[in-house]
């Protein structure tokens, strides 16, 4: 699962990587949590061709059939292996794929059993230092009162041979060369897009243990990403 992540690069660096024309200005965020607004990159038509566009969405996907969001579980992740089958995601896989820009994500290593479980947080980032594009889905939810809200989730896949040391799942991190195909919902079918959802290369990410301050969603700042030791994995 991916329940926390960070977006700390300068807005212009993110704009350059993902190629959207908008010029949003957003502060660095080191501890993004579900239900908060997040930056996503979706697709629009420009000169008759698909082109990336910047959006803000609530991190918590709401399918259109939901009657009362209070009675529906919070979906901040979706398993890539089943998005073509589940009714909650089929339409979004066909028409509303997106990318979630990030500089790092966090997972927790569980040690022990029963009441003696200890959860140690780890930070994961690209080994080359570049921002990453996590595959996602988005949906505009229309409430009974006529209000609308854009919502999104992050797609996950099996861990690779390195990251499985901490957690059995990881976000589906796409390479920049695959961004355009993932976002092109007109010419790239859901089935072809799903083939892009695979574990990152074993050497693509590095990771290290960080302090438990990340556990509090209200905590923010670069201190959250300081390694507990000089040892890097990945």
């Amino acid at each position: 699962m991916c329940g926390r992540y960070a977006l700390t690069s300068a807005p212009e660096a993110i704009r350059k990587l993902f190629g959207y024309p908008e010029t949003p200005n957003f502060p660095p965020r080191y501890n993004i949590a579900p239900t908060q607004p997040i930056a996503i990159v979706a697709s629009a038509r420009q000169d008759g061709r698909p082109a990336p566009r910047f959006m803000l969405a609530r991190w918590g996907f709401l399918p259109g059939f939901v009657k009362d969001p209070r009675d529906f579980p919070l979906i901040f992740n979706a398993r890539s292996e089943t998005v073509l089958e589940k009714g909650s995601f089929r339409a979004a896989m066909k028409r509303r794929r997106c990318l979630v820009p990030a500089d790092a994500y966090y997972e927790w290593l569980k040690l022990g059993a029963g009441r003696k479980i200890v959860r140690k947080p780890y930070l994961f980032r690209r080994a080359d230092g570049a921002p990453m594009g996590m595959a996602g889905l988005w949906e505009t939810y229309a409430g009974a009162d006529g209000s609308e809200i854009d919502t999104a989730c992050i797609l996950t896949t099996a861990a690779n041979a390195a990251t499985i040391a901490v957690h059995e799942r990881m976000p589906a991190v796409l390479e920049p060369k695959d961004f355009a195909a993932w976002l092109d919902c007109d010419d790239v079918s859901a089935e072809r897009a799903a083939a892009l959802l695979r574990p990152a290369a074993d050497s693509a990410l590095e990771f290290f243990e960080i302090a438990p301050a990340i556990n509090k969603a209200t905590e923010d700042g670069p201190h959250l990403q300081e390694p507990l030791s000089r040892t890097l994995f990945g």
Side-chain angles (χ1 to χ4, degrees):
M1 296 182 65
C2 174
R4 299 284 178 85
Y5 73 95
L7 179 59
T8 56
S9 287
E12 186 55 35
I14 298 299
R15 180 174 182 261
K16 182 178 180 181
L17 176 62
F18 291 93
Y20 49 78
E22 298 84 3
T23 57
N25 186 24
F26 44 84
R29 298 170 65 193
Y30 294 85
N31 193 8
I32 301 172
T35 74
Q36 294 178 354
I38 62 172
I40 65 171
V41 181
S43 182
R45 301 295 294 183
Q46 183 175 337
D47 298 327
R49 296 178 298 176
R53 63 170 172 139
F54 179 91
M55 292 177 58
L56 289 176
R58 169 188 179 265
W59 189 11
F61 185 89
L62 283 172
F65 61 75
V66 174
K67 290 186 171 62
D68 188 344
R70 294 171 297 182
D71 297 329
F72 193 76
L74 180 64
I75 300 177
F76 54 90
N77 287 160
R79 295 177 67 91
S80 61
E81 296 89 344
T82 57
V83 288
L84 293 176
E85 307 165 8
K86 291 195 172 182
S88 296
F89 309 115
R90 276 199 302 265
M93 268 297 288
K94 291 180 180 178
R95 306 304 308 169
R96 287 174 293 280
R97 301 191 294 265
C98 68
L99 293 163
V100 180
D103 287 280
Y105 72 91
Y106 308 104
E107 287 291 3
W108 281 258
L109 172 64
K110 291 183 180 180
L111 300 173
R115 296 183 179 179
K116 295 183 178 180
I117 289 180
V118 176
R119 300 173 77 242
K120 294 185 175 184
Y122 281 74
L123 179 150
F124 295 76
R125 65 191 182 193
R126 286 190 63 107
D128 61 11
M132 65 182 80
M134 301 185 291
L137 301 174
W138 71 279
E139 185 77 73
T140 300
Y141 177 76
D145 60 356
S147 62
E148 292 186 344
I149 181 173
D150 293 326
T151 68
C153 65
I154 294 170
L155 298 178
T156 67
T157 186
N160 64 29
T163 63
I164 198 170
V166 176
H167 199 278
E168 71 274 9
R169 305 287 296 175
M170 67 184 303
V173 178
L174 301 185
E175 290 297 322
K177 64 181 179 62
D178 294 323
F179 287 177
W182 175 254
L183 293 178
D184 187 355
C185 297
D186 291 325
D187 298 324
V188 179
S189 68
E191 290 75 17
R192 284 176 57 198
L196 301 173
L197 304 175
R198 51 185 180 264
D202 294 344
S203 60
L205 303 179
E206 63 183 16
F207 54 99
F208 50 85
E209 186 180 356
I210 57 175
I214 192 69
N215 296 341
K216 295 182 180 179
T218 54
E219 285 280 338
D220 202 1
H223 65 283
L224 296 176
Q225 297 191 340
E226 294 177 0
L228 287 187
S229 73
R230 294 180 179 274
T231 304
L232 295 181
F233 303 92

